[in-house]
Amino acid sequence: MDEAQVAADLKRHARLSLGCDRLSDSHRYLYNALALTVRDRLVERWRLTREQRRHSATRRVSYLSLEFLMGRALTNAVLNLDLEQAVREALKDYGCQLEEVAEAERDAGLGNGGLGRLAACFLDSCASLQLPVTGYGIRYEYGMFHQRIADGQQVEYPDHWLRDGNPWEMECSENAVRVSFFGRSEYYRDRDGRQRARWSATQDVLAVPYDVPIPGYRNDTVNTLRLWKSEATDEFNLQEFNAGSYTEAVAEKNLAEQITMVLYPNDASENGKELRLRQQYFLASASLQDVLRDWVREHGDDFSQFAGKNVFQLNDTHPTVAVAELMRLLMDDYLLGWDAAWEITRSTMAYTNHTLLPEALEKWSVGLFEELLPRLLDIIYEINARFLALVAERWPGDVARQQQLSIIEEGDHPQVRMAHLAIVGSYSVNGVAALHTRLLQQGLFRDFYQLWPDKFNNKTNGVTPRRWLAHCNPELGELVTEVIGDRWITDLEDIARLRPLADDYSFRARWRKIKQNNKQRLQQLVQRDCNVSFDVDMLFDVQVKRIHEYKRQLLNVLHIIHLYDRVVRGDTAGMQPRCVLIGGKAAPGYAMAKTIIKLVNNVARVVNKDPRLKPWLRVAFLPNYRVTSMEVICPGTDLSEQISTAGKEASGTGNMKFMMNGAATIGTLDGANIEIREAVGEENFFLFGLDAAAVVAAREDYDPEAIIAADKDLSAVMKLLESGHFNMFETGIFDAVSASIRSPHDIWMTAADFRSYITAQRAAGTVYQDRDAWTRMSIYNTAASGRFSSDRTIIDYSDDIWRL
Ligand code: 7GP
């Protein structure tokens, strides 16, 4: 029935909503008409979901995140609403495939990497589990930059993703709120003689919400992602206009709109820029005001039940100023006393940490805070004073301990430590994989853990099996459904039932055929975007993720150079031919990461143009890696590279997507790799390298020069790298790279893990040559991926932290 209706709606939207009569020229119009057709089916369910929630007594969760890396929405909605048949049918009238039309959608790239994509997977799981969770984020006008490669180097282009409009957002200007900056704190006594504070002489901007529907999987639930856009307030220009300063007035408007103009493209590194702090406060304040306004609408100004009905999950420290902002709103606007406000704050805030890297731990200069958010700094000081009194009680006379734990880092340039504010102001602190949480407890947040052991908990990450298997790998998904039913889509643990089928010859053959088809798709992408010919009969070895030294793309390159060296020397006995794909963006200011991209490209050029290498090795760097490329990459991958220095990758989530799609992992004992290996069994995982404890121990007297000298393969690789073989007319460009490998201070320990990495790579190549053994391993990986569904993660959050 809906089939005819979808077709009719599509026509109507094309004609009436978009006013176009020729759709054939570009898929753009057709895409828009289809998006509106699908959206119609979301809107009613959306309203009903909101309606039901209003009348339910359960707690609601606000997931606060500066990043939501959503990717495309159309195909996801089509899958979750079960509209595929109807849509395909309707598109026949236009002689179009759904896949072609879907290509017209730009990725919503409102995030950098793992942290932002995790937030997106969480939203899908919350809606699919019908949990009352609202995402709160920023509607960046420019998302993650577009990466092009010119002469082997990364060049950044702005991503004006909203240029052609966004059919998935609904502006709700009636729910706009004001957010203040600058000004000063003022203290006064109210009529009852109580001391009160207010923030005066502020400069305000408007926060306007844009709501994005988040459909659950075939369950009629539609949750909300509310993204805030900054705008100038209406009165902003009155005085200036009256004074005749038209241009100044308009300039001020720009200033207000700057706040949500661009996503900061730094992954796991903090950056200290004033505009970034403005973004953080803007999100925190607007979202809290939104929740409080809803509360007051229902309950008046009685906040006694508020904490039982609300949770704010802070996605890393980025939105942590919310701790102080909730205190301010409750005290200054709703006139609660400190103790009542604090009780509410510390029982509604929960904090997730996503990294141990010290450079990513946010600190804001006290001076900046004082200027931009004076009232909030007052509150932070007060929180800190009370907290330090507690520390003094617990460890009497231990001044050093007080300094270590203080929210304020003293010194010539005092700083606000946002992680400390997050821990002190919340009732739950979680890491994102077992090892990561342990390292938080024993290392980074040790003293806090001693103080409040019960606050700390682990929530191992997961990814949504809808996007990351059902949607991106339909052939495999259908095979799985054919043999075990479709329950896995909403209960991924059920996919374990595939395991025995690994013994079935004909099942293995079908499995292999699907992998070949997916490799074909990937091969086409690489041909189109890299102009490199991959061969689907070779092993596809893939590393895609942000470029960072700790992730050690460099170690991967050393392996490539080693293979090159072997082939050139004629040492190819037993060698497995492979195609290596590397992709990812470097933060624009991260010179070493950019040099690594250049190195990958230069090595690829030398390898690919040498006819001797053709039967053995092909190398490509994929430009502009993003969610949509991963949807083609992970189904077509044989070997997943998860090779970070142990103790540095908090969890990893790409590792889970590859596993789900039947890739084997070569990896270190880091992040969720450890749990992946446990789940699939050590015989189905290519382990190498030092573990986290050994990394720390080895650092004591680390001597990479000695390691290089003792290893003739590594010596040969270094020699090639340093001879200029990969940078003939670009003298010296890789000096910093080789210097870092040779440095006794190389904290990434690249040389230390080289030998065991090469050995593990050889083992993987050998297993691959036994097609049946490899296919079994592939099936086992998919079958063991049940734990890594974000549904499981969200159920854990819901049970232990949110208590929904
Ligand atoms: C990432 C971690 O690096 C990654 O290991 C983890 O899987 C992911 O978060 C999700 O938990 N961190 C970031 O993307 C990031 O920006 C800085 O961290 C705070």
Side-chain angles (χ1 to χ4, degrees):
M1 203 234 79
D2 208 32
E3 274 188 22
Q5 196 57 52
V6 166
D9 288 356
L10 184 59
K11 258 194 200 88
R12 181 172 52 83
H13 277 304
R15 290 237 186 83
L16 299 180
S17 309
L18 304 171
C20 60
D21 25 45
R22 281 174 12 105
L23 290 165
S24 49
D25 305 353
S26 105
H27 291 317
R28 181 95 237 142
Y29 281 109
L30 201 46
Y31 160 72
N32 273 311
L34 186 54
L36 293 175
T37 302
V38 172
R39 197 181 76 173
D40 289 345
R41 285 154 178 77
L42 287 170
V43 172
E44 185 57 15
R45 293 175 169 98
W46 204 1
R47 197 184 58 73
L48 287 171
T49 304
R50 277 194 302 260
E51 194 62 27
Q52 279 164 15
R53 298 273 164 78
R54 242 195 294 285
H55 302 303
S56 93
T58 56
R59 227 176 177 187
R60 60 180 268 199
V61 178
S62 303
Y63 194 87
L64 270 52
S65 178
L66 271 282
E67 303 187 14
F68 286 93
L69 191 42
M70 303 299 285
R72 286 180 178 154
L74 174 65
T75 38
N76 181 247
V78 166
L79 172 70
N80 283 14
L81 297 183
D82 197 9
L83 286 172
E84 187 174 330
Q85 272 317 313
V87 164
R88 286 194 188 279
E89 223 21 70
L91 284 175
K92 280 191 184 151
D93 293 349
Y94 301 88
C96 262
Q97 292 292 314
L98 173 56
E99 287 73 15
E100 300 167 311
V101 178
E103 282 295 310
E105 181 173 4
R106 308 179 61 133
D107 274 36
L110 309 186
N112 275 285
L115 169 147
R117 182 55 227 176
L118 184 76
C121 282
F122 280 6
L123 292 182
D124 182 75
S125 285
C126 290
S128 295
L129 292 162
Q130 306 192 287
L131 300 176
V133 178
T134 301
Y136 280 103
I138 290 183
R139 181 181 177 276
Y140 300 107
E141 206 78 35
Y142 292 84
M144 187 60 208
F145 66 80
H146 185 101
Q147 176 196 57
R148 289 201 192 133
I149 300 298
D151 197 20
Q153 245 138 9
Q154 166 173 303
V155 188
E156 301 98 23
Y157 292 84
D159 165 45
H160 196 189
W161 71 293
L162 292 167
R163 185 170 36 221
D164 302 315
N166 174 11
W168 304 104
E169 64 180 18
M170 308 267 219
E171 181 182 347
C172 305
S173 24
E174 73 280 9
N175 287 322
V177 299
R178 291 174 82 98
V179 176
S180 300
F181 294 95
F182 302 106
R184 58 174 185 276
S185 304
E186 254 178 33
Y187 295 90
Y188 66 99
R189 294 211 173 264
D190 65 13
R191 263 183 257 145
D192 305 325
R194 271 191 292 258
Q195 161 102 7
R196 301 242 174 246
R198 66 181 154 230
W199 187 2
S200 66
T202 55
Q203 293 176 30
D204 296 355
V205 298
L206 271 192
V208 181
Y210 285 69
D211 287 354
V212 180
I214 308 292
Y217 183 75
R218 302 186 186 176
N219 62 7
D220 288 341
T221 292
V222 178
N223 279 351
T224 302
L225 169 60
R226 178 159 275 197
L227 300 176
W228 299 100
K229 174 182 196 285
S230 62
E231 284 182 11
T233 57
D234 281 341
E235 75 269 27
F236 79 98
N237 45 18
L238 261 179
Q239 278 159 5
E240 271 99 343
F241 273 145
N242 292 343
S245 318
Y246 169 76
T247 45
E248 282 80 351
V250 175
E252 191 168 331
K253 181 174 160 66
N254 284 337
L255 226 58
E257 297 190 346
Q258 239 178 42
I259 296 177
T260 56
M261 195 56 75
V262 58
L263 166 77
Y264 275 89
N266 304 307
D267 171 83
S269 70
E270 69 101 16
N271 183 303
K273 290 284 193 311
E274 172 183 333
L275 183 57
R276 170 77 174 173
L277 180 57
R278 281 205 215 204
Q279 291 182 337
Q280 297 184 348
Y281 178 67
F282 176 78
L283 168 67
S285 180
S287 312
L288 291 175
Q289 289 187 57
D290 197 48
V291 173
L292 289 178
R293 175 180 53 196
D294 270 6
W295 179 265
V296 170
R297 227 178 252 158
E298 291 265 310
H299 304 86
D301 55 7
D302 175 5
F303 285 90
S304 57
Q305 304 301 310
F306 183 82
K309 297 278 184 276
N310 285 280
V311 180
F312 302 100
Q313 188 71 42
L314 308 175
N315 200 21
D316 214 274
T317 52
H318 312 153
T320 288
V321 67
V323 168
E325 175 66 359
L326 183 56
M327 289 297 288
R328 184 188 74 82
L329 290 167
L330 291 173
M331 294 190 304
D332 297 5
D333 290 5
Y334 295 104
L335 306 178
L336 269 62
W338 180 278
D339 292 332
W342 182 243
E343 189 51 36
I344 288 173
T345 301
R346 51 148 232 101
S347 47
T348 51
M349 297 279 166
Y351 157 55
T352 305
N353 173 283
H354 292 270
T355 182
L356 296 151
L357 298 185
E359 65 267 35
L361 289 176
E362 288 193 299
K363 292 173 188 172
W364 290 108
S365 117
V366 164
L368 178 58
F369 241 102
E370 191 154 33
E371 191 195 342
L372 195 64
L373 306 168
R375 176 69 186 121
L376 287 115
L377 186 62
D378 287 353
I379 292 170
I380 291 171
Y381 279 152
E382 181 68 25
I383 293 173
N384 197 37
R386 290 169 186 246
F387 166 60
L388 290 180
L390 195 95
V391 174
E393 221 171 88
R394 167 75 199 262
W395 290 289
D398 191 344
V399 178
R401 183 94 59 161
Q402 289 186 35
Q403 277 168 359
Q404 278 162 36
L405 286 172
S406 174
I407 297 170
I408 306 294
E409 182 177 291
E410 301 294 346
D412 292 344
H413 304 283
Q415 312 259 320
V416 184
R417 296 162 166 157
M418 299 309 278
H420 293 208
L421 179 60
I423 298 171
V424 172
S426 63
Y427 69 94
S428 165
V429 176
N430 77 281
V432 291
L435 172 70
H436 171 230
T437 300
R438 202 166 343 114
L439 294 174
L440 287 179
Q441 291 167 342
Q442 291 166 3
L444 195 58
F445 298 149
R446 210 192 139 121
D447 291 336
F448 287 106
Y449 181 58
Q450 282 182 31
L451 198 55
W452 296 308
D454 298 339
K455 256 193 209 192
F456 287 77
N457 62 92
N458 176 245
K459 296 288 166 282
T460 298
N461 284 165
V463 302
T464 169
R466 270 77 62 189
R467 185 179 293 263
W468 296 114
L469 185 50
H471 158 68
C472 76
N473 199 344
E475 263 199 280
L476 197 69
E478 277 155 31
L479 174 65
V480 173
T481 297
E482 181 192 317
V483 296
I484 63 167
D486 66 359
R487 195 179 155 155
W488 62 273
I489 302 176
T490 48
D491 177 8
L492 196 64
E493 296 281 3
D494 202 52
I495 210 163
R497 289 170 49 216
L498 275 184
R499 201 181 147 92
L501 285 148
D503 294 329
D504 177 333
Y505 175 84
S506 70
F507 183 77
R508 282 201 306 271
R510 292 177 74 189
W511 189 273
R512 198 152 48 225
K513 179 75 178 73
I514 292 169
K515 182 60 86 179
Q516 287 302 98
N517 294 346
N518 287 328
K519 287 172 78 168
Q520 196 71 46
R521 273 205 293 162
L522 177 50
Q523 182 269 327
Q524 282 162 11
L525 178 78
V526 171
Q527 188 70 58
R528 192 192 71 192
D529 290 1
C530 317
N531 197 25
V532 175
S533 303
F534 274 10
D535 176 345
V536 296
D537 292 325
M538 293 161 81
L539 184 160
F540 279 18
D541 166 347
V542 178
Q543 186 176 25
V544 285
K545 49 182 80 233
R546 289 299 289 250
I547 310 293
H548 205 294
E549 285 163 284
Y550 85 81
K551 295 178 187 283
R552 294 200 296 195
Q553 281 90 359
L554 186 51
L555 185 58
N556 193 343
V557 177
L558 297 187
H559 174 242
I560 295 169
I561 297 176
H562 167 66
L563 291 179
Y564 171 80
D565 179 49
R566 276 182 65 188
V567 174
V568 169
R569 283 193 280 108
D571 172 22
T572 54
M575 189 187 239
Q576 167 59 43
R578 43 171 107 199
C579 300
V580 185
L581 182 66
I582 298 177
K585 292 172 184 176
Y590 189 172
M592 183 58 102
K594 289 181 141 178
T595 304
I596 291 168
I597 291 177
K598 173 71 172 154
L599 177 62
V600 174
N601 280 294
N602 280 21
V603 170
R605 197 187 51 205
V606 170
V607 169
N608 297 335
K609 73 166 196 237
D610 188 329
R612 292 171 297 179
L613 271 295
K614 195 156 186 250
W616 299 107
L617 183 62
R618 324 236 172 127
V619 182
F621 183 89
L622 183 82
N624 203 36
Y625 171 63
R626 60 198 186 280
V627 172
T628 295
S629 6
M630 186 55 154
E631 291 170 7
V632 180
I633 294 168
C634 64
T637 295
D638 295 310
L639 187 63
S640 152
E641 299 271 348
Q642 307 300 335
I643 60 178
S644 52
T645 311
K648 299 296 178 188
E649 188 71 274
S651 162
T653 45
N655 48 3
M656 301 169 183
K657 295 164 199 167
F658 284 114
M659 179 200 205
M660 228 172 249
N661 285 275
T665 304
I666 181 166
T668 47
L669 286 176
D670 201 13
N673 292 354
I674 297 175
E675 291 158 77
I676 286 177
R677 179 165 170 269
E678 264 163 29
V680 73
E682 56 183 64
E683 66 288 1
N684 299 306
F685 186 106
F686 299 99
L687 178 70
F688 74 96
L690 302 173
D691 68 15
V695 164
V696 174
R699 203 161 283 154
E700 294 287 305
D701 54 354
Y702 183 47
D703 186 359
E705 292 290 2
I707 295 172
I708 294 165
D711 186 319
K712 70 176 193 338
D713 289 333
L714 182 52
S715 300
V717 166
M718 293 303 288
K719 196 168 154 202
L720 272 171
L721 178 61
E722 290 166 345
S723 68
H725 189 69
F726 302 110
N727 52 317
M728 291 285 213
F729 302 101
E730 302 169 302
T731 316
I733 59 170
F734 299 132
D735 289 0
V737 173
S738 58
S740 79
I741 299 169
R742 290 184 180 279
S743 164
H745 309 296
D746 173 25
I747 53 177
W748 319 115
M749 315 286 273
T750 304
D753 280 348
F754 175 82
R755 178 46 50 192
S756 70
Y757 181 52
I758 299 301
T759 308
Q761 285 285 21
R762 257 193 203 246
T766 305
V767 177
Y768 191 78
Q769 289 171 355
D770 179 344
R771 289 280 159 129
D772 269 330
W774 187 269
T775 306
R776 273 174 206 278
M777 202 184 270
S778 170
I779 296 167
Y780 290 154
N781 268 278
T782 301
S785 66
R787 273 212 79 221
F788 305 104
S789 164
S790 46
D791 297 346
R792 189 271 309 146
T793 312
I794 286 300
I795 290 169
D796 289 350
Y797 273 85
S798 173
D799 287 351
D800 306 346
I801 304 179
W802 304 337
R803 304 204 190 96
L804 294 178

